[in-house]
């Protein structure tokens, strides 16, 4: 097991560096002069000579006159020492720029992941058990609709319904501006604002997960050991939850783990519609403004999360399924 | 609280309803739209309360103003970097202006610059032998910052020394916005470059008096007084207490411990949290998650130039996304929605007004979207080509389509809020509007010598593109390279209304479009060399007050993006200079000089203005006395006079 993990870690480091090189080269090959972009507003406000001095200073600071390999080594050295770079858009260190959005994204995603799992797993199991019933058919249709409708549309429809028409929930934001409370009242305020985005994200993920759980359960319920369990006279509840669900879990667990790992990843669309200060929106802003240190830092974060997620998923097979031995 | 519990309930109901397969939510609906805002003004004393309760007895019924809180929504994202010397969001800037005041010179509703008599006790100006001009300003006693500390001349001198310093501009990476005031003072170049530790043109005379010498390079100047419009800075906010200002015969200076390293932490803190303010409002907080600034009324504010102080106790200024901005107004999440420009949003807002409960104001944008030309190379170096293109674009239809009917077309580099436009309305109406006319376009091209085909024979209309025989005998094709940025709806509309206009092809003109990133477009836009691969761009521009466009036409300067060739380039520049150098307060002469410049520009068409938006501010009916024009009198000025029920 340890040997396997060690091997995988070495592989992950290799992949990380390959991805980092590709990303760095891609970002640095995009057209446009970042230094010029930074000092553009000086035109007409300082003399041409002063403008050139500022421009050259910006080039030196960004290291644009160095060859790409040199720039990469410098960037990676800084990255590994915890210096994620400097945001040319926010004029702050990247670490200070992405901290709060990352925290917000995690909060929203954790909420929606728990709610979605709390709904989809029982619903999937219930649909599998009541396969082809009216209820199951209705859920199948609804999940396909939910799966097909863009999250942007779902967001706007729910805003119209819950905020504009019913007035139950706020349209956007993460908390009341100028909110003065603390502790539990602050928590409630945050919850009040996050309810709608969480519902939207939950609905968006209901379709896929419900269908996945249902399919896994249907497969499990067809197995001989289920027939045996029923023949033994076990209660249906025990058959479903102890025998069928535990086996169905094998295929579902990978999905659940990847869901939890994705709590770090922002949803650009949801964050944009609900004005949430999340990492997805930050990434989008970084790309749009050629704020490459921010975009690259987030990109590398996604890379690391994906690699760890893959490792944890593989390891989890061995944990949930005793037949699987991970030692090579 | 009830609403918050409801949200908990809703999550629970959602889960249960999905499980049950019958997702009907029967939770309690509350008719009110907003969660109650906590009120931090409850503890104010009775005297204050009485002072804030105003009554409007005009019109039909008497209205009582609570003036407790107003929430302003802006479609431009706030960043939290409220001090606009580093980043530059318009919404941050408006908020900054609300917390900044006690300026020596102010701009009034008409756009005129005047001495602020609330602040200035006396102002004297003296012309110097070297052409510079020294303003000696004595400020009044009794002015205070929001924390009650006195405002002295040192606070004004600090502004020059601090924002003009090499430490702030270079080491702490402030943008050039920081030097907008200091750079006109004599000795700025040496001081800002770190070559001198004294600022030659700035002197601290006594506790209440300071002087500023404006460099001869910028004089004479019609907007001369605007060059000494400066606000006080709270020194202890920006630098440690042991950093002091010293007066020398060579100008004011900081003590030797004024280094970027020593002041850096304080600067980076105060930049985001300027808790001691000079304006009508005080910075209270910025909420990154709500994209909202909270400002509270500054009890120590002496008033603006009219002595007007803020009426409303708390201002929340927040970003609203375009997709939901009207819903936010409708549900009461915001009270005022600023500067709506999109036609669909304006229509939605007007529908709200029709339904009742809301009102609006509208005002023209001080700027426009445009086509701009490189006038030093390719076919666009010839005036008749630029004019022909102007004739081949139906700008009225373009503006109507693009702005959804909420915009107009201007025929020169001006905004409709400028007083010069009103003063010279007849002459402005008489400018060439380049009304759509393929015939005139062809006529101009023929007069300009664009009469050949590729093989040197006479051009046959509708048969390929035109050529012109240059002085060296070579043939120049009438092909224009157009650089446009990606995801740009103006570019998309230009493709259909100009590039693919059959009349353009019939006239023998070909426009080749290349779509690039905005950064790349900027790079090429500012490339004044004749090797620039592009001759045409589409962008937008805006005008400030003071109206100074000299840098845009200075021959040989990087900022001269049109690069008009001589003699026209120099002629236009001289007109700008004549306009700028009009004697201060001689409005009539300035207006005439301005008009000459506009008329010449209109003839040379270095740019083709495409549309100028008609901005709309929508607000709930509980908001009263809110008037702005977005140019001379923006929201930061208007908010002082605004009342709310």
């Amino acid at each position: 097991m340890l040997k396997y993990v060690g091997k995988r870690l070495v592989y992950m480091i290799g992949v990380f560096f390959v991805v980092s090189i590709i990303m760095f080269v891609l970002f640095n090959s995009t057209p446009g002069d970042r230094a010029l972009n930074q000092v553009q507003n000086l035109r007409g406000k300082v003399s041409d000579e002063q403008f050139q001095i500022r421009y050259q200073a910006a080039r030196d600071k960004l290291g644009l006159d160095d060859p790409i390999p040199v720039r990469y080594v410098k960037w990676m050295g800084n990255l590994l020492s915890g210096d994620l770079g400097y945001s040319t858009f926010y004029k702050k260190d990247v670490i200070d720029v992405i901290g709060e959005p990352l925290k917000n994204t995690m909060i929203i995603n954790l909420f929606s992941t728990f709610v979605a799992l709390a709904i989809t797993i029982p619903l999937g199991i219930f649909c599998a058990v009541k396969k082809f019933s009216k209820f199951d058919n209705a859920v199948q249709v609804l999940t396909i609709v939910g799966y097909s409708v863009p999250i942007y549309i779902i967001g706007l429809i729910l805003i119209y319904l819950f905020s504009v028409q019913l007035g139950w929930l706020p349209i956007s934001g993460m908390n009341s501006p100028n909110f003065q409370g603390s502790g539990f009242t602050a928590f409630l305020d945050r919850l009040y604002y996050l309810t709608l985005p969480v519902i939207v994200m939950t609905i968006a993920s209901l379709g896929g997960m419900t269908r996945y759980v249902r399919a896994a359960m249907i497969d499990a319920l067809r197995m001989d050991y289920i027939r045996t369990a029923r023949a033994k006279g076990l209660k249906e509840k025990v058959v479903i939850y102890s025998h069928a669900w535990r086996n169905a879990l094998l295929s579902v667990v990978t999905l659940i783990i990847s869901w939890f790992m994705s709590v770090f990843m922002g949803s650009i669309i949801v964050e944009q519609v609900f004005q949430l200060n999340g990492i997805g929106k930050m990434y989008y802003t970084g790309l749009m403004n050629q704020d490459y240190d921010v975009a690259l830092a987030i990109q590398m974060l996604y890379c690391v999360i994906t690699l760890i997620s893959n490792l944890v998923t593989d390891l989890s097979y061995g944990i949930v399924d005793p037949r699987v031995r991970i030692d090579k | 609280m009830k609403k918050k519990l409801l949200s908990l309930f809703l999550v629970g109901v959602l889960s249960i309803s999905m499980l049950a397969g019958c997702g009907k939510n029967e939770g309690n609906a509350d008719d009110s739209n907003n969660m109650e805002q906590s009120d931090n003004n409850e503890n104010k004393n009775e005297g204050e309360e009485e002072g804030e309760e105003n009554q409007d007895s005009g019109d039909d019924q008497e209205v009582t103003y609570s003036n407790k809180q107003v929430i302003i929504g802006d479609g431009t994202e706030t960043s939290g970097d409220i001090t606009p010397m580093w980043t530059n969001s318009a919404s941050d800037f408006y908020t900054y202006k609300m917390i900044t005041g006690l300026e020596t010179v102010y701009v009034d509703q008409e756009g005129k610059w005047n001495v602020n008599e609330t602040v200035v006790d006396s102002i004297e100006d003296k012309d110097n032998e070297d052409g510079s001009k020294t303003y000696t300003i004595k400020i009044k006693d009794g002015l205070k910052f929001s924390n009650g500390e006195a405002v002295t001349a040192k606070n004004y001198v600090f502004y020059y020394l601090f924002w003009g310093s090499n430490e702030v501009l270079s080491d702490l990476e402030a943008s050039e916005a920081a030097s907008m005031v200091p750079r006109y003072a004599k000795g700025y170049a040496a001081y800002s470059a770190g070559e001198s530790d004294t600022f030659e043109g700035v002197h601290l005379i006594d506790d209440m008096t300071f002087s500023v010498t404006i460099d001869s390079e910028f004089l004479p100047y019609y907007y001369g007084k605007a060059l000494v419009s400066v606000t006080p800075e709270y020194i202890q906010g920006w630098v440690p207490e042991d950093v002091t200002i010293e007066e020398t015969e060579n100008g004011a200076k900081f003590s030797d411990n004024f280094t970027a390293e020593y002041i850096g932490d304080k600067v980076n803190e105060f930049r985001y949290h300027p808790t001691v303010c000079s304006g009508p409002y005080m910075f209270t907080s910025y909420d990154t998650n709500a994209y909202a600034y909270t400002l509270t009324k500054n009890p120590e504010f002496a008033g603006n130039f009219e002595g007007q102080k803020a009426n409303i106790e708390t201002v929340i200024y927040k970003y609203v996304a375009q997709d939901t901005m009207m819903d936010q107004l409708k549900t009461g999440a915001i009270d005022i929605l600023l500067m709506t420009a999109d036609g669909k949003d304006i229509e939605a807002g007007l529908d709200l007004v029709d339904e009742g409960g809301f009102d609006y104001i509208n005002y023209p944008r001080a700027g426009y979207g445009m086509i701009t030309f490189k006038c030093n190379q390719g076919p666009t170096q010839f005036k008749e080509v630029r004019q022909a293109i102007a004739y081949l674009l139906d700008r009225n239809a373009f503006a109507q389509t693009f702005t959804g009917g909420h915009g107009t077309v201007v025929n020169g580099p001006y905004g409709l809020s400028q007083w010069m436009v009103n003063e010279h309305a007849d002459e402005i109406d008489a400018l060439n509007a380049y009304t759509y006319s393929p015939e005139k376009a062809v006529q101009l091209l023929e007069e300009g010598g664009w009469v050949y085909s590729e093989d040197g024979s006479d051009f046959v209309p509708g048969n390929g593109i035109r050529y012109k025989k240059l002085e060296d005998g070579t043939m120049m094709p009438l092909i224009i390279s157009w650089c446009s940025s990606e995801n740009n709806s103006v570019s998309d509309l230009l493709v259909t209304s100009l590039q693919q206009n059959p009349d353009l092809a019939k006239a023998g003109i070909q426009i080749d479009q290349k779509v690039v990133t905005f950064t790349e477009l900027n790079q090429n836009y500012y490339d004044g060399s004749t090797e620039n691969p592009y001759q045409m761009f589409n962008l937008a521009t805006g005008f400030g007050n003071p109206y100074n466009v000299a840098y845009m036409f200075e021959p040989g300067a990087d900022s001269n993006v049109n690069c008009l060739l001589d003699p026209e380039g120099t002629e236009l520049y001289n007109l700008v200079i004549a306009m700028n150098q009009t004697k201060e307060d001689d409005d009539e002469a300035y207006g005439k000089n301005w008009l000459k410049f506009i008329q010449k520009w209109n003839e040379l068409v270095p740019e083709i203005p495409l549309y100028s938006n008609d901005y709309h501010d929508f607000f709930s009916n509980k908001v009263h006395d809110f008037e702005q024009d977005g140019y001379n009198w923006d929201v930061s000025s208007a908010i002082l006079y605004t009342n709310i029920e």
Side-chain angles (χ1 to χ4, degrees), chain B residues 305-326:
Chain B
F305 64 96
E306 290 177 326
Q308 177 72 32
K309 299 175 185 180
N311 294 325
I312 299 171
E313 193 66 29
T314 304
V315 171
I316 293 175
Y317 197 105
K318 63 178 280 196
Y319 161 62
V320 287
Q322 192 182 355
D323 290 332
T324 58
M325 53 170 57
M326 281 302 157

Side-chain angles (χ1 to χ4, degrees), chain B residues 109-183:
Chain B
Q109 291 97 324
E110 301 298 314
K112 305 279 178 63
W113 292 82
N114 305 295
V115 173
N116 185 356
E117 291 182 0
T118 303
V119 171
V120 175
D121 192 43
S122 65
I123 182 166
E124 290 167 15
D125 59 270
K126 186 184 121 195
D127 293 322
N128 302 315
E129 283 179 7
D130 62 356
S132 63
K133 189 172 191 173
T134 300
Y135 290 88
T136 303
I137 301 170
K138 183 179 182 190
I139 60 163
K140 286 186 173 168
D141 259 332
L143 301 174
K144 288 177 181 172
F145 284 106
S146 58
N147 64 351
E149 288 184 31
V151 172
T152 69
K154 223 175 231 185
N155 300 104
Y156 290 90
V157 169
F158 180 87
Y159 191 109
Y160 284 94
L161 291 182
F162 185 75
W163 294 118
S165 70
N166 185 256
E167 287 79 356
V168 172
L169 288 172
S170 293
D171 300 339
L172 297 176
E173 298 185 326
S175 75
E176 202 55 31
S179 66
M180 288 292 279
V181 174
R183 68 192 162 101

